[in-house]
Amino acid sequence: MSAPPQVRSPLTVLITPLMFLVGTLLIGGALYTAEFGVFDDALVRVGGFSLGALFLLLHSLRQPGSLLRRLLDIALVAMIVIAAWRYFIISARLESGLYFLQPLDIWCGLAGMLALLELTRRVIGAPLVIVALLVTAYAYFGDALPGFLSHAGISYPELLQTFWYSFDGVFGQPLAVVTSTILVFIIFGAVLEALGIGQVLLNLSLRSLGRLRGGAAYAAVMASGLFGTVSGSVVANVVGTGVVTMPMIKKSGFSARFAGAVEAAASSGGQIMPPIMGAVAFIMADMTGIPYLKICLAALIPALLFYGSLFASVGAEARRAGIKAPDRDTLPTLSRQDWLLLSAFVVPLTLIVVMMMQGRSPAMAGLWAIGAAVTLGLLFNPRARNLKALLNIVGSSANAGGTILVAVGAVGIIIAVMNLTGLGLRFASSVQAVADGSLFLSLLLMALACLVLGMGMPTVPAYLIIILIMGPAVETLGVPTIAAHMFVVYFAVLSAITPPVALAAFAAAPIAQANPMAIGMTAMGRLALIGFLTPFVFVYSPSMLLITDFSLTELVWSILRLALAAYLIARISILGRAWWAVSVLASITLVAPLLPLQALGALLGVATLISASRNGVFLSKSL
């Protein structure tokens, strides 16, 4: 007997087209801005944020839930609409700088702030909300604090005017970058996903690397790296590609824990892989004034070393587990249509690089990339020529766009307080005092702060908070700007696989059917350990970034040191805890800032390799 058809509630019937309308307005506004530029700052920033927030709330309303939850969602929708409406009503008077908030303005602004914090809690998590509330309390009560923490004091209306009714708070410059540039690339990623490019990339990876030992794990690394550079979300990348790759990795003979760790580490690395690097590259370009293409060039060698270490670790684990190369006939084949459809990935990426080299804006390049992807995808994939694909593009783009808009809006609160109170400069001074002028200790403090904050946040907000607070302290010690920013990005990215939170590991756990803490420890302690060491190398040897203080000798020596460290961690650490400890010790010494220690690390590394080979592990044996 067949199940009775599900009856949709009247509320769901009403909300679905409304969601599509809101999502279409958000996407249409982003594409229009990419083509014609920012025509009205208030409309683009406040309107974009409001549409993104409304989409998330409407999506929540459409889900099953209690009456209380539905009433709360409806109240939040009303709060966002009223707060945005009031902003637009008084925006012209705000620009004069002579307008003083009225009681109605204050109540509307407060409603908008409360809705923002609740949305942040839902889509990002409690840590960012807690940080925002703490800095707000500091701004209001800071005049009563002792010592260097004290400031002149800020009244409640002044705080609210800065937070909601200015371009120095929620609607500040980071949100402007999201609305004018990053949304376009979020749409680009959603288009590729709807066109089925992810499956083609996975098939290509399996076909090209699947004939090796543990080929499924190699394919997961390659596919996650390729698609991860477009995706702005580590968790989305883990879930999107991991649904296919993790069962295949387990089937080929790897443990469930290792399968989850490979996907978590590879998906996290997509955020540091050029040419798109998720969303953070565009924020970094805006904050540093360094051209986007130079940032991509700076990220290239460290990213290749990171993925090279992942490949080496997979190969070592495959040999340890005795996994054999699969039969080539069992691997997926790429049809002529698949090869043609691959052009919908290759051509747009090439177009982005070429247009950027010609001096066009990133948003314009992204717009042309979307056009090329849609044209080629619809031409070579008939299955994408339907209304469902369009709805998927709108839904995925609006959902991802709303999430990053909310996250960056919450970060705007923190930025506003730091500017109003001088907290960033005070914190930088305290870091310098604690480190006593030691660059290495300052870097350790910054790395720890990145890992702690990033554990509960996506890459972009974690990067923004840390670089604004600790960036000036590190740069005053002589670190090039690009190196300081890349350092923060690396640790913000790696926080996704760092226990106890390890968002990427928790996302991988239910699919891999393994313990999330075990996945995180394997990903951090073996697969991605080189990623924790690389930032210290390019800070002390900025030639690795190719665009500042370049020296060919320094570049070659840096690459050789990191390659040896990656080889040690990948191939020796699988022999047991004692070998792992020796490998890590040698690797840390290899990345030390002093040349004698680096030489000692190289000798220790070579000695470890010789000793391991004498113990029956001939490491140069072909995979």
Side-chain angles (χ1 to χ4, degrees), residues 2-329:
S2 60
Q6 292 185 345
V7 179
R8 295 193 299 172
S9 68
L11 186 63
T12 302
V13 173
L14 175 65
I15 289 174
T16 300
L18 189 58
M19 281 180 63
F20 181 75
L21 175 62
V22 171
T24 303
L25 287 174
L26 180 62
I27 293 170
L31 297 178
Y32 184 90
T33 302
E35 174 66 26
F36 300 104
V38 177
F39 48 93
D40 185 312
D41 267 327
L43 185 60
V44 170
R45 299 188 196 193
V46 183
F49 169 82
S50 301
L51 288 171
L54 283 175
F55 185 89
L56 295 176
L57 289 170
L58 291 171
H59 183 268
S60 177
L61 263 174
R62 199 175 64 163
Q63 305 306 310
S66 65
L67 177 61
L68 183 61
R69 173 64 180 256
R70 288 179 177 273
L71 291 175
L72 177 59
D73 288 341
I74 293 171
L76 291 172
V77 167
M79 290 161 71
I80 287 290
V81 170
I82 290 170
W85 164 80
R86 190 59 190 170
Y87 188 105
F88 289 123
I89 288 292
I90 65 172
S91 60
R93 284 172 279 179
L94 287 171
E95 291 176 6
S96 70
L98 301 175
Y99 181 76
F100 297 97
L101 296 185
Q102 304 302 308
L104 178 60
D105 305 328
I106 292 175
W107 283 110
C108 291
L110 180 61
M113 294 297 299
L114 291 175
L116 167 61
L117 291 175
E118 170 59 15
L119 272 172
T120 303
R121 185 194 65 80
R122 292 185 183 186
V123 301
I124 305 298
L128 183 53
V129 177
I130 292 171
V131 173
L133 290 174
L134 285 175
V135 297
T136 302
Y138 169 72
Y140 191 68
F141 298 107
D143 57 338
L145 296 175
F148 80 98
L149 289 175
S150 180
H151 60 78
I154 306 168
S155 69
Y156 173 68
E158 288 175 326
L159 268 181
L160 198 57
Q161 180 149 4
T162 304
F163 286 166
W164 190 260
Y165 292 107
S166 77
F167 290 157
D168 298 319
V170 173
F171 309 117
Q173 188 58 29
L175 191 132
V177 176
V178 173
T179 53
S180 63
T181 301
I182 293 176
L183 281 179
V184 174
F185 287 90
I186 289 175
I187 298 167
F188 177 51
V191 166
L192 293 181
E193 184 178 354
L195 292 174
I197 303 299
Q199 186 61 48
V200 175
L201 290 175
L202 183 59
N203 290 342
L204 174 65
S205 302
L206 284 168
R207 191 63 188 173
S208 56
L209 300 174
R211 63 181 181 276
L212 304 174
R213 288 177 182 265
Y218 285 122
V221 173
M222 180 177 173
S224 295
L226 288 173
F227 199 73
T229 186
V230 178
S231 170
S233 169
V234 172
V235 172
N237 198 17
V238 169
V239 175
T241 58
V243 170
V244 178
T245 59
M246 282 185 263
M248 292 177 64
I249 295 171
K250 289 167 61 179
K251 187 177 179 181
S252 65
F254 291 100
S255 67
R257 179 181 66 179
F258 190 81
V262 166
E263 184 59 49
S267 294
S268 299
Q271 304 286 295
I272 56 173
M273 174 60 74
I276 295 180
M277 299 172 61
V280 75
F282 304 107
I283 295 279
M284 192 190 303
D286 181 78
M287 294 194 65
T288 61
I290 298 172
Y292 164 77
L293 281 181
K294 284 192 174 183
I295 289 175
C296 291
L297 182 64
L300 182 60
I301 290 179
L304 291 177
L305 284 168
F306 178 83
Y307 275 96
S309 72
L310 290 184
F311 278 108
S313 296
V314 168
E317 179 65 16
R319 180 170 298 283
R320 186 199 65 78
I323 296 173
K324 304 297 182 181
D327 185 354
R328 188 177 178 87
D329 293 334

Side-chain angles (χ1 to χ4, degrees), residues 412-430:
I413 298 172
I414 301 166
I415 296 173
V417 172
M418 288 193 296
N419 291 336
L420 285 171
T421 63
L423 177 62
L425 295 176
R426 289 190 180 94
F427 196 87
S429 300
S430 64

